[in-house]
Each structure stands twice: as C-alpha cells, then as structure tokens.
Amino acid sequence: MNSPVESTPSRPDQWWRSAVVYQIYPRSFQDSNGDGIGDLRGIIDRLDYLAELGVDVLWLSPVYRSPQVDNGYDISDYRDIDPLFGTLADLDELLAQAHRRGIKLVMDLVVNHTSDQHPWFIESRDPGSAKRDWYFWRPARPGGTAGAPGAEPDDNPAAFAPSAWTYDPTSGEYYLGIFSPGQPDLNWENPDVRQAVYAMMRWWVDRGVDGFRMDVINLISKPAELTTGNPLDLGQGSLRRVANGPRLDEFLAEMNREVGLDEHNLLTVGEMPGATIEVAQRVTDPARHELNMVFTFEHVNLDQSSWSKWDLADLPLPVLKGNLAQWQEGLAEAGWNSLYYDNHDQPRAVSRFGDDSPEHRVNSAKTLATVLHLHKGTPYIYQGEEFGMTNAPLTEIGHYLDVESLNYHALATAGGVAEEQVLRSLAAKGRDHARTPVQWDDTDHAGFTTGTPWIPVNPNHREINAQSARRDPDSVFGHFQRLIRLRHDDQTVREGRFQLLLPDHQQLWAFTRTLGDDTLLVLANCSSAPAEIPSEQLPALDGAGVVLGTHPGGGESRLAPWESRILRLQPSS
Ligand code: GLC
Ligand code: CA
C-alpha cells in the first residue's frame, strides 16, 4: 500500500529556510507532444527525477498566456496557461503530483509589466478609458512631433529595445516599456492596479501554489520624475536607476497583507536588479512582512567592467567570495539570503566560474556547488546545473534567438563595435546558454523532444546528460543529492553563522559555519591547479572529520584542482 495521498503539504513557519529550490524553464525542460517546446505534461513526466534529486520546491518560469515576445515574461492572461504549455487542468495535475511527492510549487509573478496584448493594456490605449492611468502614457517631448524619430518623451533606452517609449498612433502618445515595447510597465501608483494584481495572486494561492518568484519586483515603484510625468534622463544603464523607488517597501508590505503571503507561509523571493544589501535588509526583515528573500545581482555583475553586462571583465576569486561574504554578513541578524549562480538569464556556472574542459568539468561543477550550498540561505538549482550542463557553442549571430542578444547585436554593431567583440560578449553572457534543452540522455534530441527542438540541443549531450550522471554515484548529480541531503540533515548548514577565511587567497574559497560549539570548515580549491592548504592560517584541523568531499581521502595538506572538502572540526574544549 502506498502512503496516503498528501493533498496539501503543510507549510510550517519559515519552512523555506531549510528548502532547496529547483528552477524549471518550462520551454526547455521536457516536451511531451513532439512540438519541440517543453510543456507542463513534460514536467509531470519528470517529477520522479526531481524527487530523486531531493529538491523541496519547484519554481516555474512563466507558463501563462503570452505572445512570447520575451518567452513568457510578457503575460496577456494571468489566469490561464498558454496553449504552448498545456491547460489549467495540467497545471492542477502538476501541483497535485508534486505535492504527492512532498514537493512544493512556486509560480513566477510578472507584474512590473504586462504584455501589450493584455486586455488591461488594450483598454488603456483608449485615452478616455478608466484604465488609461494603469500604464505610463506621455506626450512627445516639448517641440517634438509625436511619432517622429527623436520625439520620444526622453532618451532612455529599454533593456531589449532602443527606446523605453513606444508611440501609439491611436492617441498620439507614448507608453513606457522598460524592457521592450511588448512589455508595457504597469503604473503601481494607481491603487486599482495594485488591487487587481493582489486579486490575481489570491486566485493562485487558492489554487494551492506555495509561493511566488517575483520578476524585477524592485522596479514597481518608479522614481518621482516618472510618476509625475516630468522628463527623466536616466542615461545608460537606465534599469538600475528606476529600481528601488520610494514606495517599494510600502507596496510589498501591502501586497503581503492583502494576499496573505506570510499568513499562508508562502515562499516569496523578489528578483531585484540593482538592490543593495540595505534594500535587502529592509525587504527581508521578518518584522516588516515584505518578502522572505531577494535575488541580488551583485555577484553576477562582477565580471563586467561597466553598467553593461556585455563589457567583459576578469573576475578574480577574492572579489567573488568577498561579495558573497558581504551579503552573508549583511543579512546575518535579520533577513535571509537566496543563493544562486544560474538561472534562465545567466550563462552556465561551470563555464563561467568553473572550468568546463573535459578534465575539470565534473570537479569544478561539484566544487562550485559545495561552496554555494554551504552558504547560509536558500539554494536555487537551475535545470541542468545538477549534472553540470555547460554553455553552448554559439559562435555566430544566427545561433541566437533571445530578444536581448539580438537587440544588443543590432545596437552595438550599428554603433561601430566590431562584430568579433560583440560575438565574444554574446558567447560569454548570452541568455540562450541557459535555455538550450535539458540533456536527458545521449539520443538525438537528448530525450527532450521527438520533434525539432525550438532551440538546438547542445552537441555535448552525448557525454553530458542526466541519464549517465544518475548511473554514476561519483557524478555531479550524486554530489548535488548529497549536498541537498546534508542541508536537510544538518542544522549547522541551515542556520550556522558564516565567516569567510583567507579572503585574499587567489585559489581557495574557505569559510566556517558555526552553530553553538559545532563548526564546519569548507575548503574549496576554485582553480585548475593544485593548492597547498595554509594550515597555520586556519582553525586546527586535528581530529577533523570529512563530512563530504569531491575526492577520496581528505587528510592531505594539498587540494587537487577543483577539490573541495567539508570538514567538521573537533569542538575546542
Ligand atoms: C527578469 C526575467 C527575465 C526577463 C525580465 C523582464 O529579469 O528573469 O527573463 O526578461 O525580467 O521580464
Ligand atoms: Ca510541447
């Protein structure tokens, strides 16, 4: 007999503090009907795999109705599933089947903007409509002829388009789209907008979802210049400058209250480009009832030399570990961290921070995971990271599909940047690396689809795939399973205080986690050369036991390339 069906898994207070989250980008996860696009039934088919990995929560990137200008981050109906991905009945089944396995489900919430096909926006196009003020409508700049080139209200570029303003001939005005013309920004100053969003969120909570990942949520409160209609010249890197507006905390607290986010013990994580530690301290302080945690961008913006992610820079290890340590310290008292390297917007961690050569891929993927998962906070795994998927061989512009990459290529080459340089930036940072299909096995389309995948499968799926990783206990997959289990079993991993050691060491990432008189020491060689352990600068290692290592043994005084060890120190008596 099976154990009784668990319909709604309980959500004890702060359950998310011991959880590991797995992000699914549905379009690239598993296709079930041969159209080359991943879908909800495909996810249902893979739930046993996710249970075997041991994760507690799934976060689904958007599956709502959408024209797919930005792969679903442009929503035209928040209360329905796009036919590409299935139906509401499929979603309900996914939820029930996940819950039956003790896995929770978190939805993506994209409410800084809608699609330009959303009924709210369509109505707003009419200047006389009650929804005109739900979006930002502005006339041409003084002296400009509406619709003529250069007459936009200001010179701010969009993230994925040359201008943040799109002309609408029906009313002779422009609307704001910080990301692209297909993603008009909602005006959160209008209380009706906020109530409509909260009602929609309650509808999902009633359906049984366990939380929300909130897309660019620190952009909902816009700077006063925008809300009052004055010109605002943001200049380059404009996104960051509209972030963290004056009413952000007020809106988040209101949302929490109105939707019952804390009351229902939901997981809430706010994606926050440009958020500082101070913003995160406020937003995640439990006493303020805003959000559980935020996604910082600081550590994924370190390998760039300007506000633009396309201006590549080297990233020395001390800079990366120093940044994570600052966030650990900043949120040590109140508040909580999220922990991630990878998501659908970032290149693959093993290619970016590790070494994806055949010699070092497995150990560098394991060691990067050891380091991240031993920080304090809630770890996020992005699909494929758990068996070491790498960047794809994208070498010409014809290989790219993502709106961000295509827009950057057009703008940069028109602006005189050499083609090779643009391609180098795209190859390092393009979002398509994260979006190639999950490599399930070594067959033609990697087990992702029986049809033609919407984006080509990485040819290295013959060697790198989930099936071969699952068969090998020494694989990256096996290591992730052990890290997840360790977090579940070990209170020091969950709650211990973090302290960075050897901050200037160029190869070693070393730190302790301490709870009462229990101390874990993490020693990780984040380089492709061997490294001596400088014992004299570390706590006494005598009698220390290896909790988990990437290599056999553990007593040696040097670490092999990309070797890491988690040690439990003898309590000092
Ligand atoms: C977030 C999403 C990204 C999307 C953007 C606009 O950054 O993660 O994929 O393009 O918001 O919605
Ligand atoms: Ca499909």
Side-chain angles (χ1 to χ4, degrees):
M1 271 293 286
N2 288 330
S3 53
V5 171
E6 199 190 342
S7 56
T8 312
S10 59
R11 292 193 291 252
D13 272 355
Q14 305 215 318
W15 61 272
W16 38 268
R17 287 172 75 112
S18 52
V20 178
V21 183
Y22 185 95
Q23 182 191 354
I24 293 182
Y25 194 65
R27 156 183 285 278
S28 304
F29 189 69
Q30 176 67 61
D31 179 24
S32 72
N33 62 354
D35 68 355
I37 299 173
D39 46 49
L40 292 174
R41 300 222 66 86
I43 301 173
I44 295 170
D45 292 342
R46 294 293 184 184
L47 281 173
D48 286 336
Y49 168 85
L50 297 165
E52 180 185 336
L53 177 59
V55 294
D56 306 282
V57 185
L58 305 179
W59 146 30
L60 285 195
S61 277
V63 288
Y64 312 94
R65 268 193 195 264
S66 160
Q68 306 286 325
V69 166
D70 187 20
N71 287 359
Y73 283 91
D74 50 314
I75 297 170
S76 56
D77 186 348
Y78 290 106
R79 301 186 194 210
D80 202 2
I81 302 299
D82 197 283
L84 270 185
F85 299 121
T87 63
L88 269 177
D90 295 330
L91 193 283
D92 288 340
E93 186 178 338
L94 170 60
L95 189 58
Q97 295 268 9
H99 283 172
R100 192 167 297 162
R101 291 166 177 81
I103 298 176
K104 297 182 172 67
L105 188 74
V106 162
M107 298 297 275
D108 219 304
L109 180 80
V110 188
V111 291
N112 171 69
H113 44 270
T114 65
S115 160
D116 64 346
Q117 303 303 310
H118 194 288
W120 297 342
F121 184 75
I122 292 172
E123 196 182 327
S124 174
R125 291 193 115 120
D126 172 0
S129 92
K131 292 206 170 56
R132 185 66 169 178
D133 182 52
W134 283 38
Y135 296 83
F136 295 95
W137 290 96
R138 296 289 178 267
R141 70 182 63 189
T145 308
E152 293 83 13
D154 59 47
D155 290 328
N156 300 312
F160 312 146
S163 174
W165 297 98
T166 303
Y167 181 60
D168 183 43
T170 46
S171 65
E173 288 195 326
Y174 295 79
Y175 65 88
L176 179 73
I178 294 280
F179 287 93
S180 79
Q183 297 166 292
D185 284 61
L186 279 166
N187 177 14
W188 276 68
E189 299 293 318
N190 185 319
D192 295 340
V193 168
R194 306 204 297 273
Q195 288 306 326
V197 169
Y198 305 152
M200 173 274 283
M201 292 174 72
R202 285 192 294 264
W203 186 86
W204 280 103
V205 174
D206 290 345
R207 230 178 168 89
V209 305
D210 301 289
F212 298 99
R213 174 272 184 187
M214 304 181 183
D215 193 61
V216 291
I217 201 70
N218 62 329
L219 304 188
I220 57 177
S221 166
K222 302 284 195 272
E225 294 90 327
L226 258 179
T227 54
T228 55
N230 291 319
L232 166 67
D233 194 7
L234 297 167
Q236 292 179 317
S238 55
L239 226 164
R240 230 171 324 169
R241 312 227 344 235
V242 292
N244 314 316
R247 300 182 70 187
L248 176 63
D249 296 281
E250 177 198 336
F251 291 161
L252 291 176
E254 179 185 77
M255 176 197 281
N256 193 321
R257 207 167 52 240
E258 296 274 324
V259 183
L261 297 176
D262 283 354
E263 185 192 327
H264 296 289
N265 281 332
L266 297 168
L267 183 156
T268 52
V269 53
E271 189 207 24
M272 295 204 173
T276 58
I277 291 176
E278 291 69 40
V279 172
Q281 283 169 335
R282 286 205 313 271
V283 167
T284 71
D285 179 348
R288 298 174 59 99
H289 297 285
E290 296 182 31
L291 303 180
N292 303 155
M293 55 194 133
V294 308
F295 288 134
T296 164
F297 277 62
E298 285 190 355
H299 66 304
V300 291
N301 289 348
L302 295 171
D303 53 357
Q304 64 196 46
S305 61
S306 76
W307 57 268
S308 164
K309 72 185 228 180
W310 307 113
D311 290 336
L312 307 181
D314 286 340
L315 173 53
L317 183 66
V319 176
L320 179 62
K321 63 188 181 182
N323 182 266
L324 265 76
Q326 279 171 18
W327 280 77
Q328 293 283 300
E329 280 152 27
L331 298 179
E333 301 307 332
W336 191 250
N337 271 291
S338 73
L339 308 169
Y340 79 96
Y341 301 124
D342 270 357
N343 61 40
H344 64 292
D345 297 327
Q346 300 295 332
R348 293 280 179 181
V350 67
S351 301
R352 182 185 198 177
F353 304 122
D355 179 339
D356 64 6
S357 67
E359 194 186 349
H360 296 301
R361 182 188 66 88
V362 166
N363 285 324
S364 71
K366 287 182 184 177
T367 282
L368 287 173
T370 299
V371 167
L372 192 75
H373 285 243
L374 265 289
H375 277 67
K376 183 177 177 183
T378 300
Y380 288 74
I381 300 170
Y382 179 66
Q383 61 185 36
E385 184 182 0
E386 75 277 17
F387 57 91
M389 273 180 65
T390 68
N391 281 352
L394 307 176
T395 52
E396 33 186 279
I397 189 59
H399 292 159
Y400 290 89
L401 296 173
D402 178 34
V403 51
E404 184 191 45
S405 293
L406 298 176
N407 174 61
Y408 170 65
H409 180 265
L411 285 181
T413 50
V417 185
E419 175 83 9
E420 312 84 78
Q421 193 184 326
V422 174
L423 290 176
R424 217 175 311 125
S425 296
L426 291 177
K429 296 284 186 68
R431 303 195 297 182
D432 286 331
H433 289 300
R435 301 175 180 190
T436 63
V438 171
Q439 296 161 207
W440 295 105
D441 58 37
D442 63 3
T443 61
D444 273 356
H445 296 308
F448 165 68
T449 182
T450 54
T452 306
W454 71 274
I455 187 173
V457 172
N458 191 324
N460 69 15
H461 73 276
R462 306 271 174 208
E463 293 79 45
I464 303 171
N465 59 68
Q467 189 180 52
S468 65
R470 280 166 74 194
R471 286 183 185 144
D472 172 9
D474 285 334
S475 66
V476 179
F477 182 86
H479 195 71
F480 268 89
Q481 283 180 312
R482 291 186 281 274
L483 287 171
I484 295 166
R485 213 173 302 134
L486 182 63
R487 174 164 294 263
H488 291 159
D489 293 348
D490 196 308
Q491 214 192 339
T492 305
V493 172
R494 294 194 300 274
E495 300 289 343
R497 191 174 180 94
F498 177 95
Q499 195 191 350
L500 185 67
L501 307 173
L502 312 175
D504 300 320
H505 204 290
Q506 299 286 330
Q507 288 174 284
L508 293 184
W509 197 332
F511 55 90
T512 51
R513 299 288 309 283
T514 307
L515 190 68
D517 58 7
D518 186 39
T519 300
L520 293 172
L521 170 66
V522 177
L523 289 177
N525 179 3
C526 294
S527 79
S528 303
E532 295 301 324
I533 299 174
S535 312
E536 59 303 337
Q537 299 170 51
L538 294 170
L541 296 178
D542 324 293
V546 180
V547 177
L548 180 58
T550 52
H551 291 57
E556 305 75 9
S557 63
R558 103 193 313 228
L559 292 170
W562 295 106
E563 176 175 3
S564 52
R565 293 178 199 156
I566 305 167
L567 302 166
R568 174 154 267 126
L569 301 185
Q570 282 287 56
S572 50
S573 40

